Amino acid sequence: MTTSLSNMKLLITGGAGFIGSALVRHLLTETDCTVLNVDKMTYAAVPGALDTIEAHPRYHFAEQDICDLTVMRTLLAEFRPDAVINLAAESHVDRSIDGAGEFIQANIVGTYALLQGTLEYWQALAPTARKNFRFFQISTDEVFGPAPAGAQFNEDAPSRPSSPYAASKASADHLVMAWHHTFGLPVLISRCTNNFGPFQFPEKLIPLTIARAAGGQSINIYGDGRQQRDWLHVDDHVAGLLAVLGAGRAGQSYALGSGEVRDNLAVVTTLCGLLDEALPTSAHRPHENLITFVADRPGHDIRYALDITKARTELNWQPSISFSHGLRDTVAWYLQHRDWWGGILQTVYDGERLGQAAVQAKQ
């Protein structure tokens, strides 16, 4: 069944984060949907990412924690959404190594509370509204664990998470499917590969590399840097999310990736070359000389790759932004917005390595 997205009311959790804010901006500028953004506004809420739409008449915001079931019941009853899209999550693997408790709370307990509140709301809807309603869980390819060389995981791959972060997301996925099979809640799950693009918090590989290289600081590469990732531009991911919401079948999951697999060292080396071009007078050229190899992350998955055949054939979706083009544009954006990420690095996150507690414990 295809669901029209026209004039929908969407409750989006985590809409102030990197992917969430890209989705919210698109919905408010390119569709006639009304959005309620529910976000706890943790450190990873992206400053300025929603400035262009925060005064929009179809945009509403609630600074709340999805773990608070009472609050979620109230928001659902008052806003009366046609779909709930859950992007609220702790998402950085290194942070989950240093402290898994926040990931368990946000990603598992939070998903449970949101599911329960949504189930109660959905059960009280009129029959047609119940049939058209969707609970949409945004997940990650990391739930599958490492993909063997040359292999791509599809939606039927078993969950074999390696990190506390991946385990918390896999647990949330299982809860979502349990609420579908046990209670009949119409759910969707999407699992995406590594995202990149504007407004990404500078703890992730691409923005962190740009920031450290531009400042002449060492660029840390875990292990030998040969870990491979499938890179998807955030705008392509947003298009994929809307395709799943509009045409996805209830009770199904969909893999969203680009097929452009690169190892971490190659990504960083390419970034250094782009910075050499963009900053011809930099005292730090060639920026590749800033690369430093450090102890690998504990339990570091060697490779991720997804088979997007199902999304391509069922949803008519496929990415349109090449990695090379998207990466060049991303570098340009970050260099044009130094004040944005510079402020974050001065006040929220200083750019130093996370996940050190477990590294030290193993030594």
Side-chain angles (χ1 to χ4, degrees):
M1 182 187 72
T2 300
T3 300
S4 172
L5 301 183
S6 178
N7 204 33
M8 286 186 74
K9 297 179 70 176
L10 303 174
L11 190 158
I12 298 175
T13 69
F18 168 47
I19 298 170
S21 63
L23 175 62
V24 170
R25 290 194 305 271
H26 179 90
L27 287 167
L28 272 298
T29 57
E30 303 298 329
T31 79
D32 60 0
C33 293
T34 299
V35 173
L36 170 59
N37 174 16
V38 181
D39 199 295
K40 188 180 177 182
M41 301 303 289
T42 66
Y43 77 94
V46 183
L50 296 173
D51 285 356
T52 58
I53 56 87
E54 65 180 359
H56 197 288
R58 287 186 281 107
Y59 177 67
H60 309 276
F61 173 72
E63 184 174 347
Q64 298 290 349
D65 186 346
I66 64 169
C67 294
D68 191 327
L69 179 55
T70 299
V71 167
M72 294 314 302
R73 284 171 171 150
T74 299
L75 291 175
L76 286 159
E78 292 179 349
F79 183 64
R80 301 195 63 78
D82 301 303
V84 171
I85 305 176
N86 184 27
L87 285 134
E90 292 284 342
S91 66
H92 192 44
V93 173
D94 285 0
R95 288 182 184 270
S96 79
I97 293 171
D98 283 342
E102 293 181 4
F103 288 73
I104 302 302
Q105 186 70 16
N107 299 353
I108 302 177
V109 177
T111 299
Y112 157 72
L114 187 60
L115 277 168
Q116 190 58 30
T118 301
L119 176 64
E120 295 167 7
Y121 165 77
W122 172 76
Q123 288 174 329
L125 291 175
T128 300
R130 290 185 66 195
K131 181 180 179 181
N132 293 331
F133 183 87
R134 294 291 183 268
F135 180 100
F136 188 3
Q137 174 76 2
I138 314 304
S139 188
T140 170
D141 61 345
E142 296 192 36
V143 301
F144 299 128
Q152 293 180 317
F153 286 138
N154 64 20
E155 293 79 2
D156 296 326
S159 294
R160 291 173 178 165
S162 300
S163 69
Y165 160 65
S168 70
K169 290 297 289 184
S171 299
D173 291 355
H174 288 306
L175 285 175
V176 170
M177 293 310 299
W179 259 244
H180 172 67
H181 290 297
T182 302
F183 305 112
L185 183 68
V187 305
L188 298 161
I189 296 176
S190 66
R191 300 187 179 99
C192 70
T193 56
N194 284 44
N195 277 215
F196 71 102
F199 285 114
Q200 188 171 29
F201 193 82
E203 67 187 1
K204 300 299 177 76
L205 178 65
I206 289 175
L208 182 58
T209 296
I210 296 170
R212 292 188 67 85
Q217 297 175 287
S218 63
I219 305 168
N220 293 338
I221 297 288
Y222 292 172
D224 61 5
R226 299 302 178 186
Q227 305 87 359
Q228 296 183 331
R229 300 294 182 262
D230 181 340
W231 291 94
L232 178 67
H233 194 279
V234 67
D235 290 345
D236 276 333
H237 187 195
V238 166
L241 295 180
L242 296 181
V244 174
L245 182 62
R249 291 178 289 133
Q252 295 291 307
S253 64
Y254 295 88
L256 303 176
S258 71
E260 297 207 53
V261 177
R262 303 284 192 282
D263 67 48
N264 289 345
L265 181 58
V267 171
V268 170
T269 301
T270 300
L271 284 169
C272 288
L274 291 171
L275 288 165
D276 289 346
E277 294 178 20
L279 303 172
T281 62
S282 171
H284 312 302
R285 297 173 74 246
H287 294 89
E288 188 173 340
N289 289 343
L290 297 171
I291 294 175
T292 301
F293 293 91
V294 300
D296 204 355
R297 169 195 290 161
H300 202 171
D301 289 339
I302 189 63
R303 184 175 181 274
Y304 298 136
L306 288 181
D307 177 357
I308 66 168
T309 300
K310 184 176 179 180
R312 184 184 292 115
T313 56
E314 290 193 15
L315 311 178
N316 195 32
W317 172 87
Q318 63 181 14
S320 62
I321 303 171
S322 71
F323 182 68
S324 60
H325 179 78
L327 195 65
R328 182 175 292 274
D329 286 352
T330 298
V331 169
W333 188 91
Y334 277 91
L335 293 180
Q336 292 165 7
H337 294 80
R338 288 174 180 257
D339 289 346
W340 177 79
W341 52 262
I344 293 174
L345 292 173
Q346 288 176 3
T347 60
V348 181
Y349 166 62
D350 62 8
E352 292 303 313
R353 180 178 182 181
L354 301 170
Q356 283 285 73
V359 172
Q360 294 168 357
K362 289 170 72 74
Q363 292 176 343

